[in-house]
Amino acid sequence: MSGPEKQAREWRIGVAGLGVVGCGLIKWLLERPDFAPNGDRVRLVGVTARDRDKARGIDLSGVQWFDHPVELAASPDIDLFVELIGGSEGVARAAVTAALKTGKPVVTANKALIAAHGLELASLAERHGVSLQFEAAVMGGTPAVKLLREGLVGDDVGSIAGILNGTCNFILTEMERTERPFATVLAEAQRLGYAEADPTTDVGGFDAAHKIVVLAALAFGGAPNFAAAEIQGIDQVELIDIRLARDLGFRIKLIAEASGSSKGATVRVAPALVPLTHPLAQAGGALNALFLEGQRVGRLYLQGAGAGAGPTAAAVAADIADVIGCGRRPVFGRPAATLQPLPMLERGQKIDKAFLRVMVRDEPGTIAAISEALAKAGVSIDSFLQRSVEDSGHVPIVLITHPATETAIADAVEHIAALPAVIERPRAIRVARI
Ligand SMILES: NC(=O)c1ccc[n+]([C@@H]2O[C@H](COP(=O)([O-])OP(=O)(O)OC[C@H]3O[C@@H](n4cnc5c(N)ncnc54)[C@H](OP(=O)(O)O)[C@@H]3O)[C@@H](O)[C@H]2O)c1
């Protein structure tokens, strides 16, 4: 017998900060107020930012405007406070403090705040019996915080090394790719919106330091200690270093690393040479990446978007879902009573590219016949390769198809197998969508 059905609850949300992340989150909350796995709903009831009149492309009708973030945070009309203003001091800190002191759970994307005042805020949250969540503070939408805080609690993490600042990664990648110096690429990154007008926080390594300090605290079980982090940015990296490092088989990346244990740790951000074959060397452009080593789980690698409205707001929403579900999620993400077996796609609905190897006798007209057989099945060719004749007098013809249904590929195989020049059943292997 199942227990009594839980009544769905409505959570009144207040969002402070209507910039890139704030607007991204609000779009999601308005579109999907029922996204929380436990069936509870969310309702945006209050917002605040600096400029009430700024056009933001979101519908805030019916949502109360607050002139000050602290007012919103302390309001009895909200159940959950989301801080998306930024900065370690000032209004963001005051508002988060006010929300926790009035017994409200807080979700924030603010790495500077957590790195600088994480311990004080954690104590406050515990004293008031509410949660403080900050998944989006590190690696945007890539769940590094959850991995450390939840996924790896059964292990001792010994070291973490990552590319945690997309701006620096973009600049270093472009310097190498286009052989242009730091200042030129930085100016381009500013034009493209990858770098701020004042780029110090990013290129000076401070942003990556905020993030690695937070990860180190989670990994080694200590308080965030930003003051102790060694920090060096990328502004001293010259093109000649990038070229020479590459000649030696390395790529220069801004590496944020932490190693140690609960007894002590080193936390450092600095440019470093990474072997070209290492996954961290492969993460180019504005990507973020993280390499972790646990005593028992061994090496783990995580890579993804470290910023942007969509990914970051997704991480904030995941934290909201955690608060709403009190950290207890239904076993398969939705209440068991609502679950059905997943419908599986049929062959006619599954669309992939395929690799086809056809062994043929070396006769004229064979390729045209194969093309015709493919066309009959509705399959077109993406790329094509013909090897030289083998000793047996047979020739492998290899082709990659454009995306087609499994049924169409199977038909194509049948048509090709029936051709007189084909000496064995063609081999079809799906091209993985990765
Ligand atoms: N952008 C990303 O991809 C990303 C990724 C990960 C984490 N984060 C973190 O997310 C947070 C928000 O970043 P963002 O990129 O969304 O910033 P943003 O676009 O600059 O937006 C900041 C918002 O805060 C408001 N604000 C600033 N000072 C205020 C004050 N004194 N009182 C009230 N509101 C104030 C601004 O108001 P106005 O609009 O009226 O000026 C703006 O709406 C930061 O902690 C950031 O580090 C961002």
Side-chain angles (χ1 to χ4, degrees), residues 217-254:
L218 289 164
F220 309 132
N225 188 359
F226 184 68
E230 293 171 43
I231 308 171
Q232 194 189 327
I234 59 164
D235 36 352
Q236 303 297 314
V237 176
E238 292 187 38
L239 196 50
I240 186 168
D241 301 321
I242 291 180
R243 283 195 196 122
L244 293 172
R246 194 180 45 201
D247 290 348
L248 290 167
F250 294 94
R251 184 160 282 145
I252 297 182
K253 294 286 192 185
L254 183 69

Side-chain angles (χ1 to χ4, degrees), residues 68-416:
H68 199 283
V70 171
E71 229 181 278
L72 171 62
S75 166
D77 296 336
I78 64 164
D79 305 311
L80 194 161
F81 178 65
V82 182
E83 185 275 307
L84 299 172
I85 295 172
S88 63
E89 310 299 331
V91 289
R93 182 180 178 193
V96 169
T97 303
L100 295 173
K101 277 189 173 163
T102 48
K104 294 182 193 81
V106 172
V107 174
T108 177
N110 190 337
K111 53 240 158 185
L113 178 69
I114 301 299
H117 303 296
L119 181 59
E120 166 199 311
L121 296 172
S123 311
L124 202 54
E126 278 172 30
R127 213 165 333 127
H128 291 274
V130 288
S131 50
L132 169 61
Q133 306 266 40
F134 46 85
E135 179 61 64
V138 184
M139 294 182 82
T142 311
V145 170
K146 279 193 173 49
L147 178 66
L148 278 166
R149 194 164 52 190
E150 297 168 27
L152 293 176
V153 286
D155 201 0
D156 286 320
V157 174
S159 65
I160 321 170
I163 295 171
L164 300 182
N165 183 273
T167 307
C168 291
N169 205 32
F170 174 81
I171 292 173
L172 292 173
T173 305
E174 284 304 289
M175 283 174 73
E176 180 179 345
R177 192 179 70 80
T178 62
E179 302 244 311
R180 287 180 301 164
F182 173 77
T184 314
V185 177
L186 170 61
E188 181 186 81
Q190 286 170 317
R191 252 195 333 275
L192 292 173
Y194 282 119
E196 304 276 336
D198 175 1
T200 319
T201 308
D202 289 322
V203 301
F206 302 103
D207 174 78
H210 289 142
K211 296 166 182 169
I212 193 70
V213 161
V214 172
L215 293 183
L218 289 164
F220 309 132
N225 188 359
F226 184 68
E230 293 171 43
I231 308 171
Q232 194 189 327
I234 59 164
D235 36 352
Q236 303 297 314
V237 176
E238 292 187 38
L239 196 50
I240 186 168
D241 301 321
I242 291 180
R243 283 195 196 122
L244 293 172
R246 194 180 45 201
D247 290 348
L248 290 167
F250 294 94
R251 184 160 282 145
I252 297 182
K253 294 286 192 185
L254 183 69
I255 297 295
E257 56 189 317
S259 57
S261 65
S262 55
K263 296 194 182 69
T266 304
V267 179
R268 170 168 62 193
V269 174
L273 268 66
V274 180
L276 285 171
T277 49
H278 193 280
L280 286 177
Q282 310 290 325
L287 278 176
N288 278 204
L290 189 69
F291 212 80
L292 295 141
E293 190 144 14
Q295 253 175 34
R296 283 178 287 273
V297 298
R299 304 174 120 201
L300 298 178
Y301 181 66
L302 206 62
Q303 178 186 300
T312 311
V316 175
D319 274 348
I320 293 176
D322 267 356
V323 171
I324 288 178
C326 306
R328 288 189 306 272
R329 286 177 184 265
V331 177
F332 289 103
R334 293 275 152 197
T338 68
L339 297 179
Q340 299 283 336
L342 276 181
M344 294 295 157
L345 292 179
E346 290 177 9
R347 295 182 80 202
Q349 297 170 299
K350 286 193 267 185
I351 296 172
D352 283 305
K353 290 183 169 191
F355 157 102
L356 293 179
R357 175 172 58 80
V358 189
M359 298 303 290
V360 299
R361 269 185 290 278
D362 187 21
E363 289 172 9
T366 308
I367 291 173
I370 291 175
S371 303
E372 221 172 279
L374 284 163
K376 213 159 40 163
V379 176
S380 58
I381 299 171
D382 179 23
S383 52
F384 173 88
L385 184 75
Q386 183 177 4
R387 291 274 181 229
S388 46
V389 181
E390 293 180 349
D391 290 345
S392 57
H394 300 150
V395 196
I397 291 176
V398 181
L399 52 94
I400 305 278
T401 70
H402 279 301
T405 63
E406 271 186 24
T407 320
I409 299 289
D411 284 352
V413 167
E414 293 308 324
H415 293 319
I416 295 170

Side-chain angles (χ1 to χ4, degrees), residues 17-22 48-51 54 56 69 84-87 91 109-111 136 140 306-308 312:
L18 301 176
V20 174
V21 186
T48 179
R50 256 181 316 217
D51 180 356
K54 203 189 258 185
R56 302 180 192 271
L84 299 172
I85 295 172
V91 289
N110 190 337
K111 53 240 158 185
T312 311

